[in-house]
Amino acid sequence: MEEEGSRRRPSDAVLCECSVLAARRTRARSRTKAVVVNPRTSSQRRFRRFIESIVRKVFDTQRKSPRDNVSAASATQIQADVTPTKSAHPAELNVVSPPKRTASVPASRLNLNGTLDSNGNYGRKSASQSDLNYSAELSVAAPTRHAIPELDLTFDSYNDEQYRPTPKPTQVISRPLPPKPQAPKEPIYYPQGKPVPQLQNDTALRRVCEVFRSVPNQKCTLENMPAVCEAAGLPMYWKMPVFLAITNDEDRLATQVDFTSWWKAMTSVAHDEAARFVYTLTMGSRSYLQPEDFYEMLMDVIHTHPGLAFYRDATEFHDKYCQVVMTRIFWNDAHSWSGRLTTERLRKGGVLQAIRNLQFDDDINKSLRYFSYEHFYVVYCKFWEIDSDHDLKISSTDLAQHAGGALVPMVVDRIFSGAVCTNPNRGQPVEDIGLAEFTQFLLAEEDKTHPTSIEYWFRILDLDGDGLVTLYDMELFHTQVQRKLAAEGIDSMGFADVACQLIDMLNVPGGVSAFRLSDLKKSSLRGRFINTFVNWRKFFAQETNEGSESPRIEDEGGQELTEWDRYCIEEYEAMMEDDQADAETISLNLEEDDGRSSLAYHDVL
């Protein structure tokens, strides 16, 4: 019995032999099947890649078609249950094996509405291969020294709808679009005009060269300049300034070389009509015009325009005509008391168009703003009437006789104080004025609605030159108007009542007791306002005819005539009637003298 007891194996021996057999059997299986050397690391890595591929697929599907609802029939059905289980044998580990190969799925790929091959790569498949069931187990013997708990990985209970991560709302990041390449912006302001293509200037130069080749010796005189100006695209009455410019004001003929050098120099800096006109008249020396720059051109108009043919023999009056026309050009277009006509003001004015129209109209009197001979005749006759000694200079005493002494003495003193002079010595008192200054006065007196006329009279009324005409200034001028009316036996209102009317005329906000030049320009009754302080005869006329308006008179083109145009029409007709009456009287006297002479001669015989 003792021998049998000693030969009996211990209770743990059977368990050890079972463990050895189990280990041998596992090694035998590992030779035929793929054995995971490290079950924990390899299985977790493969499972992680599998989950990442599913999540990536879900996010891709939601990004591509967020509005599509995945139906239950086409959704992937995967059930997985990863639960580590305790086993009575700590040396064994249950691991779910890779999916078994079926007839519809290749053994090297895992399909879940897509594919996962053995390398963990994800590829897209058709929807028919998306529903798969996986179940497999692999038992691997753990190392003998360390007891590893069993890990059971089954995907039967995995539900795609249950474990799908909730997608976070995609935040839309608005990024500014890169700026599109744009062409460089052209400058808005061109002092010398917007540049023209060089081809246009070269084409005009070729046409001019053909004109020079057609004349004898390829040299042009002043008579050939109309054809040259036409070929160059210039107005015809630029011919005298152009001729003087290309010959450098020398007494010689113009050659093709002269014109080419002048044309290239002029077109390189002057690009529009106004800039080229200034360059031509000043020969490129200034960027503005002065009255004397127009002299040569106006003399050429006198000698060549058909409308002034009757006036060419009266050479003693040519300079007077030029002075009046130059004064009117600067009065209408310069809008400055510096005596300069800039290129910018020349563009906005109308003298360039008037010069261009001279070649198309033989009637010079249709140019009402600048070149009308009738307007010149009225101005010169009025100047001659008050020039007592006929020395072509008017003193303060002579000017006080204008319109039968209608001007108040303070206005005459302000005119000779230099407040409205445009010469370099403006602001300084002058002893007498010439035809140009008298032309300015007459334009301001007969058309008080013109912008320059308003500036003229504002300078007269502004005694201290601070830019404000106060009630004190107005009272001084109106007091002299009341004295003139009293001398004629006419009663007038007091200044307090007149001041209330004047403030209503200007419509100044707040009813202030002073006004500026801008306030006077805005008022529609500015003419009546100025007459209240300047001309007592016109003030009395407008007070007695209050409410009556002058009829509207239009020219041939349908444009309303200004007050100056009406004045010139009335005065010119009156002067023509007087001249005709004088001529008839002279002829009758001559006939009577001839009769008496013949009678006396007959008696003597």
Side-chain angles (χ1 to χ4, degrees), residues 457-501:
W457 292 117
F458 186 86
R459 286 171 170 263
I460 295 293
L461 299 177
D462 187 12
L463 295 176
D464 52 1
D466 60 348
L468 285 174
V469 176
T470 62
L471 288 176
Y472 175 76
D473 300 332
M474 291 185 279
E475 185 176 6
L476 291 177
F477 282 96
H478 190 70
T479 300
Q480 295 191 354
V481 172
Q482 289 175 336
R483 291 175 183 174
K484 286 282 187 179
L485 292 173
E488 297 292 332
I490 302 173
D491 296 332
S492 60
M493 296 185 300
F495 177 74
D497 298 332
V498 174
C500 294
Q501 295 181 357

Side-chain angles (χ1 to χ4, degrees), residues 288-292 323 326-332 334-341 414-428 430 432-441 443-444 452-453 455-456 459:
Y288 57 89
L289 295 175
Q290 294 178 345
E292 56 269 17
Q323 289 182 16
M326 289 185 296
T327 303
R328 298 191 66 190
I329 290 174
F330 279 75
W331 183 267
N332 291 317
H335 296 282
S336 173
W337 295 92
S338 62
R340 298 179 178 181
L341 179 57
R414 288 290 294 165
I415 293 175
F416 284 85
S417 67
V420 290
C421 295
T422 57
N423 52 32
N425 297 326
R426 64 183 182 276
Q428 300 179 3
V430 293
D432 47 41
I433 59 176
L435 181 59
E437 291 78 15
F438 177 79
T439 304
Q440 292 178 350
F441 161 75
L443 289 169
T452 311
S453 300
E455 296 177 6
Y456 185 95
R459 286 171 170 263

Side-chain angles (χ1 to χ4, degrees), residues 73-140:
S74 61
T76 305
Q77 303 294 334
I78 300 176
Q79 297 180 354
D81 187 7
V82 184
T83 55
T85 58
K86 296 182 180 180
S87 176
H89 307 282
E92 293 184 357
L93 177 66
N94 295 329
V95 181
V96 178
S97 65
K100 297 181 180 180
R101 182 168 60 182
T102 61
S104 61
V105 183
S108 62
R109 295 183 180 274
L110 173 65
N111 297 316
L112 177 62
N113 197 12
T115 61
L116 181 66
D117 56 14
S118 60
N119 295 325
N121 298 325
Y122 173 74
R124 188 166 182 82
K125 287 295 183 178
S126 61
S128 60
Q129 298 178 1
S130 62
D131 297 331
L132 301 176
N133 296 324
Y134 306 97
S135 61
E137 293 183 358
L138 177 63
S139 298
V140 181

Side-chain angles (χ1 to χ4, degrees), residues 51 54 77-81 155-160 163-164:
I51 295 301
I54 294 174
Q77 303 294 334
I78 300 176
Q79 297 180 354
D81 187 7
F155 302 114
D156 297 336
S157 60
Y158 184 86
N159 190 351
D160 184 32
Y163 293 95
R164 177 182 298 173

